[in-house]
Amino acid sequence: MALENTFKKVKEASKTLALITDDKRNKILNAVADAIEENKDSILAANKSDLDKAGKDYAFYDRLLLTPERLDGIAADMRHVATLPSPLGKVLKDKTLDNGLHLKRVSVPFGVIGMIFEARPNVTFDVFSLCFKSGNAALLKGGKEADGTNRAEVELIHNVLKANGVDPSVVELLPATHEATGALLTAVGYVDLCIPRGSKRLISFVRDTAKVPVIETGAGVVHCYFDKTGDLAKGQRIVDNAKTRRCTVCNALDCLLINVNRLKDLPQLVAPLASKDVKLHADEQAYKALEGFYPSALLGHSDGEETWNTEWLSMQMGVRTVGSLDDAIRHIDTYGSGHSESIVTEDKAAAKKFEDMVDAACVYVNAPTSFTDGAQFGLGAEIGISTQKLGARGPMALEEITTYKWLIEGNGQIRS
């Protein structure tokens, strides 16, 4: 295995993290945040090189882009992580058996977390901060489009770790190749958990290939249902924010479901989208309601199954008419990915039924899905949004990347 030496170094380095106090971890996280702000020019220069190679027509240009403001936000998130309580050493269960054995279940790190991500250079810093705070070493495998930026970021982190007497191999960046992805996914004995963050295709490949444990994150076909009692002003703001705040992220709105009794309000509901050049792929009823009110160049017919199954990651969106709340729930059950779903309604019973029946990590009432984010939930920077049910679900932050072990203390008892 060409990368085995790297895997060995990271595994060994992970064991040293147990000797670092939380105070020292926090000091180092703050030092990295300072270094990000002090070295903006070099990070942005590396990012510009990546952007120039990708070109303005690159579909995920916005994801790849770093700005001074985004770097300030990354540094602020890292400082916030430093203020959070340590997730380690928490006593989750504590009891004494009839035979006198004392049992405690205590939170501990996984060990080595492998992270596979695409053109998202912010992920490098986010993953480092969460892994380091939680006592985990990180093996990073980024996409080729962001490789220059990722390498500049990891070099900055390594310099801070060395200055503070910490083995820099607690975080390593693998080559941006398919071979490195395959090696990471089969690094049994070195990698304790792998988390993919990116497209549906990437996540499916990881799930089908991995021999190490995997938590699925990211891919989201996200819906908002505008109910027959929905408030139009609220709905307009919610749909606009969910779709256009950042259309290339996994919590962005992909399909608007509208109750048939509210079709007359559909043009007003989606009016803010027109000024932002959002193309709508509407079913027949919705198309007729929008025709003449929404720009014709931005209005098209849906392709049925293909439209409803699409995570757009762009300024495009499906629009489907449903006859009832139950129809909306059935649509989400058929086409949703378990990520984030929203309802706009003034009917408390409808809201409760939506919350109870919709199977997703995050279910919203009268709020946009754009809030599905670790920082927005008060968790600090996130490592990803888990869409599975086993283990972590929803935004994965510090607690979600720890496991536990049992500590048993006795006084010579033996089992009969």
Side-chain angles (χ1 to χ4, degrees):
M1 187 189 298
L3 293 171
E4 190 166 9
N5 286 338
T6 300
F7 296 157
K8 284 181 178 177
K9 284 197 305 180
V10 175
K11 187 70 172 179
E12 286 302 311
S14 73
K15 298 170 185 176
T16 68
L17 287 171
L19 305 175
I20 300 176
T21 65
D22 192 52
D23 284 345
K24 185 169 182 177
R25 290 186 221 277
N26 296 337
K27 176 189 171 187
I28 291 171
L29 289 175
N30 282 309
V32 173
D34 291 342
I36 292 170
E37 293 177 338
E38 292 164 5
N39 293 274
K40 278 182 188 176
D41 289 346
S42 60
I43 297 171
L44 293 174
N47 186 240
K48 184 179 184 305
S49 178
D50 285 337
L51 290 166
D52 289 345
K53 290 176 188 174
K56 284 283 180 68
D57 293 333
Y58 176 55
F60 302 124
Y61 190 89
D62 181 64
R63 277 187 184 176
L64 181 58
L65 174 67
L66 290 179
T67 64
E69 294 75 22
R70 287 186 180 182
L71 287 176
D72 286 339
I74 290 168
D77 283 345
M78 191 168 293
R79 290 194 180 97
H80 178 60
V81 171
T83 69
L84 298 173
S86 172
L88 302 176
K90 288 186 175 180
V91 178
L92 307 173
K93 286 191 177 181
D94 189 329
K95 64 179 180 178
T96 301
L97 303 182
D98 292 342
N99 61 11
L101 284 178
H102 182 211
L103 278 66
K104 286 194 297 184
R105 197 168 82 179
V106 181
S107 59
V108 296
F110 273 100
V112 176
I113 293 180
M115 188 77 195
I116 301 174
F117 53 104
E118 294 170 329
R120 305 166 186 247
N122 62 298
V123 173
T124 298
F125 285 128
D126 291 349
V127 171
F128 166 72
S129 65
L130 290 168
C131 283
F132 190 70
K133 175 76 176 182
S134 60
N136 291 293
L139 269 166
L140 307 177
K141 166 57 183 68
K144 64 181 185 298
E145 292 84 3
D147 193 51
T149 313
N150 290 333
R151 296 206 171 277
E153 292 173 344
V154 171
E155 182 181 4
L156 179 151
I157 293 168
H158 279 176
N159 289 339
V160 174
L161 291 171
K162 290 174 187 173
N164 285 273
V166 175
D167 187 342
S169 288
V170 297
V171 56
E172 290 287 354
L173 179 66
L174 299 178
T177 63
H178 293 300
E179 291 76 15
T181 301
L184 179 60
L185 294 176
T186 56
V188 177
Y190 298 114
V191 175
D192 298 289
L193 175 66
C194 186
I195 303 172
R197 184 168 171 179
S199 66
K200 188 175 182 179
R201 189 174 63 131
L202 169 67
I203 292 165
S204 296
F205 173 78
V206 169
R207 182 184 60 240
D208 296 341
T209 307
K211 293 183 179 179
V212 298
V214 170
I215 291 181
E216 296 180 36
T217 73
V221 178
V222 174
H223 302 84
C224 177
Y225 168 55
F226 190 73
D227 189 38
K228 62 183 179 182
T229 66
D231 180 279
L232 187 54
K234 287 181 189 175
Q236 192 180 65
R237 293 196 305 273
I238 288 167
V239 171
D240 181 28
N241 187 254
K243 178 68 251 180
T244 68
R245 190 194 71 88
R246 283 188 74 186
C247 65
T248 59
V249 293
C250 59
N251 59 25
L253 181 60
D254 295 299
C255 184
L256 171 64
L257 303 173
I258 183 161
N259 189 282
V260 66
N261 296 305
R262 300 302 299 275
L263 279 173
K264 65 182 183 301
D265 295 312
L266 181 57
Q268 192 174 343
L269 182 64
V270 299
L273 305 184
S275 64
K276 297 167 187 176
D277 294 331
V278 177
K279 183 171 183 180
L280 301 182
H281 302 263
D283 70 2
E284 195 60 35
Q285 287 176 282
Y287 187 94
K288 287 179 180 177
L290 290 167
E291 198 171 15
F293 296 98
Y294 200 80
S296 58
L298 297 173
L299 181 60
H301 292 276
S302 77
D303 294 323
E305 296 286 307
E306 185 175 345
T307 297
W308 314 140
N309 275 308
T310 297
E311 181 186 17
W312 294 101
L313 301 174
S314 64
M315 286 297 194
Q316 301 185 72
M317 186 177 79
V319 183
R320 187 176 192 181
T321 309
V322 293
S324 65
L325 170 62
D326 288 340
D327 287 344
I329 292 171
R330 275 192 289 272
H331 177 100
I332 292 169
D333 187 50
T334 302
Y335 301 104
S337 58
H339 193 294
S340 301
E341 307 291 356
S342 174
I343 183 173
V344 179
T345 185
E346 296 300 302
D347 183 339
K348 289 185 179 179
K352 181 67 165 59
K353 186 172 185 178
F354 191 84
E355 290 178 320
D356 290 345
M357 298 300 293
V358 168
D359 186 11
C362 300
V363 180
Y364 293 83
V365 175
N366 293 327
T369 53
S370 48
F371 282 109
T372 301
D373 175 90
Q376 292 295 315
F377 280 22
L379 305 175
E382 73 193 27
I383 205 166
I385 309 292
S386 171
T387 55
Q388 67 183 41
K389 298 183 185 180
L390 183 62
R393 197 177 194 197
M396 293 179 62
L398 294 172
E399 290 186 6
E400 288 73 28
I401 51 174
T402 61
T403 182
Y404 58 79
K405 64 182 176 184
W406 289 93
L407 303 177
I408 305 98
E409 296 179 0
N411 189 28
Q413 296 95 326
I414 60 171
R415 182 173 175 175
S416 60

